[in-house]
């Protein structure tokens, strides 16, 4: 949606710039007898054809570029007989909406030129007349230097253009913060899962029925903690959800899995009652002290447990309880894995052990699953850079065209090109700073909204590092500064005689 809005803004600035450049041509067509409707359709057709061409190119290239990246991640989760690419009707609807957006932007950009009489349109556009505001009438105004005075007047004279510049910078910053913020979230999830929550070094996955002797043999030879993981169904009244049940036995030396409260502090698994993940508690509308009903898949009888604690975990929502509480429910503890802080590189698998995984292997598998998501983030960042550059360039070019007469006047008055460039850069810095201030919270909101749409099994918290904020701000500044530097070089090429011709 943000990309959609930025593309509409880009089209609007492009068409405004085009109609300003072709002002004399529009006046000539009107003087020759072309109707306003015909001229309007001519310029609106630019938006229609450009929107259609861009939409169709995106419709064809998007499915070829994006799905292979998504499939890489999804193949680690799902098994399908065939991974094929399809274009849904909603994609065609998006192309149509893009076309209408570009057409509307073109209409809004050129309708102002068509309101004037042919004789007015054939002449250069007269500067806007504005009244002195309260600031200009105050003593403070006299204490400001010429650069600040000139830029304040220019911003007040061109409020809409200045507002579009701020929106363009804010959109670019927001998308950069969004992309870098998602990268931070992905990186932190990996660290949180395997450094802060799962602190074991090795995990011995057992076969379905390992046998009592095999379990005792592992307990006698290794220090660690038995764990039972199973799929369960949970309910609270009419609300039902699927989740994971985690049952932990007492650890020999330490607990191999830690639990974190919603305020990020470490909590212990309660001896009585059960602990429920924060996302699951929210889905079932439960809180501490309430009772939740659950049952193992394949079982008919529902069990009831009182919620004694709420913990937060990024992936894998459900219930966690100690072995004693689980057995109080009349169930038999059947471990599915053994967790240990020892490295088991040289341990040979037995008939009871299905596989042995160390933490590095688990982290690598987890990171490979998220690798395609990082590629999507990279595409997002590159897209925000390109669209942000286009919008800022168009706005800068439009601003330069509108200020040609003022810039020529400054040249005639003795200002050097370097001084004028500094003058323009000052206004650019003001608008960029304002856009960045607006864009940072918008980017954070986008990250939070994106994470709120995650599946029920995932609960990721928005976290943007200072480095990401710094990169988003610096890159936006570099884009804005570079665009202004490129456009300000044209100051030397201004034809002062043509620019200063009488507008009466």
């Amino acid at each position: 949606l943000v990309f959609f809005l930025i593309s509409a803004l880009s089209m609007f600035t492009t068409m405004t710039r085009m109609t300003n450049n072709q002002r004399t041509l529009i006046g000539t067509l009107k003087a020759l007898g072309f109707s306003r409707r015909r001229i309007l359709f001519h310029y609106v057709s630019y938006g229609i054809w450009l929107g259609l061409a861009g939409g169709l190119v995106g419709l064809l290239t998007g499915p070829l570029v994006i799905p292979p990246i998504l499939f890489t991640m999804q193949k680690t989760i799902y098994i399908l007989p065939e991974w094929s690419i399809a274009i849904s009707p909603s994609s065609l609807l998006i192309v149509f909406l893009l076309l209408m957006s570009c057409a509307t932007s073109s209409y809004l950009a050129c309708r102002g030129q068509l309101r004037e009489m042919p004789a007015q349109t054939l002449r250069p556009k007269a500067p806007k007349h504005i009244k002195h505001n309260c600031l200009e009438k105050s003593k403070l105004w006299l204490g400001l230097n010429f650069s600040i005075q000139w830029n304040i007047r220019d911003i007040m004279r061109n409020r809409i253009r200045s507002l579009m510049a701020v929106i363009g910078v804010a959109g670019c910053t927001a998308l950069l913060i969004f992309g870098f913020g998602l990268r931070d979230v992905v990186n932190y999830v990996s660290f949180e899962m395997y450094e802060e929550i799962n602190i074991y070094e090795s995990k011995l996955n057992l076969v379905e029925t390992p046998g009592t002797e095999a379990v005792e043999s592992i307990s006698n030879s290794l220090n660690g903690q038995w764990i039972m993981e199973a799929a369960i169904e949970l309910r609270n009244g009419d609300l039902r959800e699927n989740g994971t049940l985690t049952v932990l036995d007492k650890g020999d030396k330490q607990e191999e899995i830690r639990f974190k409260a919603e305020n990020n502090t470490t909590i212990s698994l309660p001896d009585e009652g059960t602990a429920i993940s924060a996302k699951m508690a929210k889905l079932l509308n439960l809180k501490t002290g309430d009772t939740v009903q659950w049952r193992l898949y394949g079982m008919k009888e529902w069990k009831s447990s009182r919620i004694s604690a709420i913990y937060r975990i990024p992936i894998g929502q459900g219930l966690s309880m100690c072995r004693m509480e689980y057995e109080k429910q009349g169930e038999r503890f059947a471990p599915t894995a053994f967790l240990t802080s020892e490295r088991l590189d040289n341990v040979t698998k037995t008939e009871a052990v299905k596989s042995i995984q160390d933490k590095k292997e688990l982290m690598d598998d987890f990171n490979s699953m998220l690798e395609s998501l990082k590629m999507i983030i990279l595409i997002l960042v590159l897209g925000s850079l390109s669209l942000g550059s286009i919008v800022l360039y168009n706005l800068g070019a439009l601003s330069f065209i509108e200020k040609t007469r003022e810039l020529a006047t400054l040249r005639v008055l003795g200002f050097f090109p370097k001084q004028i460039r500094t003058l323009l850069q000052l206004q650019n810095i003001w608008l960029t700073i304002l856009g960045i201030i607006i864009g940072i919270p918008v980017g954070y909101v986008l990250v939070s909204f994106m994470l709120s749409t995650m599946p029920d099994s995932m609960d990721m918290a928005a976290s943007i590092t200072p480095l990401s904020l710094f990169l988003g701000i610096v890159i936006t500044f570099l884009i804005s500064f570079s665009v202004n530097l490129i456009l300000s070089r044209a100051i030397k090429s201004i034809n002062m005689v043509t620019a200063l011709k009488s507008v009466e």
Side-chain angles (χ1 to χ4, degrees):
L1 184 61
V2 176
F3 274 114
F4 197 89
L5 294 174
I6 290 181
S7 66
L9 180 61
S10 177
M11 178 58 69
F12 179 76
T13 54
T14 300
M15 292 307 301
T16 302
R17 188 170 143 216
M18 177 185 288
T19 52
N20 281 345
N21 284 336
Q22 298 186 6
R23 178 182 172 84
T24 306
L25 176 60
I26 293 172
T28 303
L29 292 173
K30 292 169 73 175
L32 290 174
F34 284 84
S35 66
R36 178 185 173 185
R37 181 179 296 177
R38 191 170 179 183
I39 299 172
L40 184 62
F41 179 76
H42 169 73
Y43 284 99
V44 169
S45 66
Y46 274 97
I48 293 174
W49 289 113
L50 289 174
L52 182 62
L56 291 177
V57 170
L59 189 65
L60 295 174
T61 58
L64 296 176
V65 176
I66 305 298
I69 299 173
L70 286 174
F71 288 169
T72 304
M73 176 179 66
Q74 292 175 331
K75 285 178 180 177
T76 62
I77 306 172
Y78 305 108
I79 298 175
L80 296 177
E82 182 182 358
W83 291 84
S84 58
I85 299 169
I87 298 177
S88 64
S90 60
S91 301
L92 300 175
L93 177 62
I94 289 172
V95 174
F96 174 75
L97 291 175
L98 182 65
L99 187 150
M100 295 304 297
S101 172
C102 292
T104 304
S105 300
S106 302
Y107 168 75
L108 294 174
C110 64
R111 67 173 181 173
Q113 307 281 10
L114 297 173
R115 288 175 178 172
E116 299 176 355
M117 298 296 290
Q120 291 177 301
T121 315
L122 283 168
R123 291 197 297 263
K125 192 173 183 179
K128 293 180 181 178
H129 176 71
I130 59 170
K131 297 180 181 180
H132 291 292
N133 54 40
C134 296
L135 177 62
E136 291 178 280
K137 296 177 182 178
S138 65
K139 293 182 180 180
L140 177 64
W141 181 260
L142 298 175
L144 302 175
N145 62 36
F146 173 76
S147 298
I148 296 176
Q149 290 179 343
W150 188 87
N151 279 305
I152 290 175
R153 279 177 173 163
D154 186 64
I155 291 172
M156 296 301 296
R157 183 181 291 112
N158 301 283
R159 293 184 181 90
I160 301 299
R161 175 175 47 76
S162 300
L163 179 62
M164 288 195 300
V166 171
I167 292 173
V169 172
C172 182
T173 306
L175 287 174
L176 286 171
I177 297 296
F178 180 44
F180 289 131
L182 287 180
R183 184 200 61 176
D184 292 338
V185 170
V186 171
N187 290 337
Y188 181 67
V189 166
S190 177
F191 172 80
E192 186 178 26
M193 284 293 294
Y194 294 102
E195 295 293 339
E196 296 183 343
I197 295 177
N198 298 314
I199 60 173
Y200 56 84
E201 285 294 331
S202 302
K203 182 177 183 180
L204 284 74
N205 297 302
L206 304 181
V207 296
E208 190 170 347
T209 53
T212 307
E213 292 182 2
V215 170
E216 290 179 355
S217 174
I218 294 173
S219 297
N220 294 332
S221 58
L222 296 171
N223 291 317
Q225 185 175 21
W226 288 106
I227 181 175
M228 173 184 169
E229 295 172 303
I232 59 170
E233 186 179 4
L234 303 96
R235 74 179 182 186
N236 179 32
D238 295 332
L239 299 175
R240 292 197 180 199
E241 293 291 339
N242 299 321
T244 302
L245 174 66
T246 303
V247 183
L248 290 169
D249 198 0
K250 289 289 184 182
D252 293 327
K253 290 185 176 181
Q254 64 175 10
E255 300 296 321
E256 303 294 342
I257 295 180
R258 291 175 180 167
F259 292 88
K260 297 170 63 177
E262 292 183 90
N263 59 3
N264 219 32
T265 58
T266 303
I267 60 174
S268 301
L269 195 63
D271 293 330
E272 295 184 358
T274 185
I276 188 171
S277 63
K279 182 75 171 283
M280 186 61 71
K282 183 179 179 181
L283 292 171
L284 294 175
N285 194 23
L286 293 168
K287 60 184 184 296
T288 306
D290 291 344
T291 300
V292 61
Q293 291 185 307
W294 56 273
R295 66 178 178 185
L296 297 171
Y297 272 108
M299 306 297 288
K300 293 183 179 180
E301 184 183 357
W302 287 90
K303 306 292 183 178
S304 296
S305 297
R306 188 177 64 85
I307 298 174
S308 302
I310 296 177
Y311 64 95
R312 198 190 68 80
I313 187 169
I315 297 175
Q317 309 304 311
L319 298 179
S320 294
M321 63 182 71
C322 65
R323 177 176 179 175
M324 186 185 303
E325 176 65 24
Y326 182 70
E327 290 178 340
K328 279 183 184 179
Q329 298 288 340
E331 298 289 341
R332 185 180 66 85
F333 179 71
T336 57
F338 184 78
L339 311 177
T340 177
S341 297
E342 302 175 22
R343 305 251 335 164
L344 304 179
D345 298 333
N346 300 321
V347 175
T348 306
K349 286 196 301 182
T350 63
E351 293 182 358
V353 179
K354 183 169 58 176
S355 63
I356 301 174
Q357 294 175 298
D358 61 16
K359 181 181 286 190
K360 186 177 182 306
E361 182 183 347
L362 291 168
M363 289 184 68
D364 290 342
D365 291 342
F366 186 79
N367 288 329
S368 64
M369 182 183 72
L370 298 177
E371 198 63 38
S372 57
L373 185 58
K374 293 179 181 179
M375 285 297 298
I376 295 173
I377 293 170
L378 177 61
I379 293 172
L380 183 70
V381 171
L382 293 177
S384 62
L385 287 175
S386 59
L387 277 180
S389 301
I390 291 169
V391 171
L392 292 178
Y393 181 84
N394 283 334
L395 287 169
L398 179 62
S399 174
F400 185 82
I401 292 168
E402 291 179 350
K403 289 189 286 197
T404 301
R405 183 178 175 84
E406 287 90 336
L407 298 178
T409 303
L410 293 175
R411 289 292 310 276
V412 171
L413 290 174
F415 282 75
F416 293 105
K418 184 178 180 180
Q419 291 175 303
I420 299 176
R421 279 197 295 269
T422 304
L423 196 69
L424 295 176
Q425 195 65 264
L426 179 63
Q427 183 180 144
N428 182 59
I429 290 172
W430 289 357
L431 297 178
T432 302
I433 290 175
L434 183 58
I436 288 173
I437 292 173
I438 297 172
I440 289 174
V442 173
Y444 186 85
V445 169
L446 287 175
V447 174
S448 300
F449 175 76
M450 184 71 174
L451 296 178
S452 70
T453 64
M454 288 289 183
D456 294 342
S457 62
M458 304 178 76
D459 182 18
M460 300 182 184
S463 60
I464 300 176
T465 63
L467 177 61
S468 295
L469 287 174
F470 176 77
L471 288 174
I473 293 170
V474 169
I475 292 174
T476 305
F477 255 115
L478 288 176
I479 293 173
S480 181
F481 183 82
S482 302
V483 167
N484 190 74
L485 188 64
I486 293 170
L487 292 170
S488 61
R489 289 179 179 176
I491 293 172
K492 293 182 180 180
S493 62
I494 294 176
N495 189 322
M496 288 178 281
V497 176
T498 303
L500 293 172
K501 279 183 179 178
S502 177
V503 185
E504 291 82 10

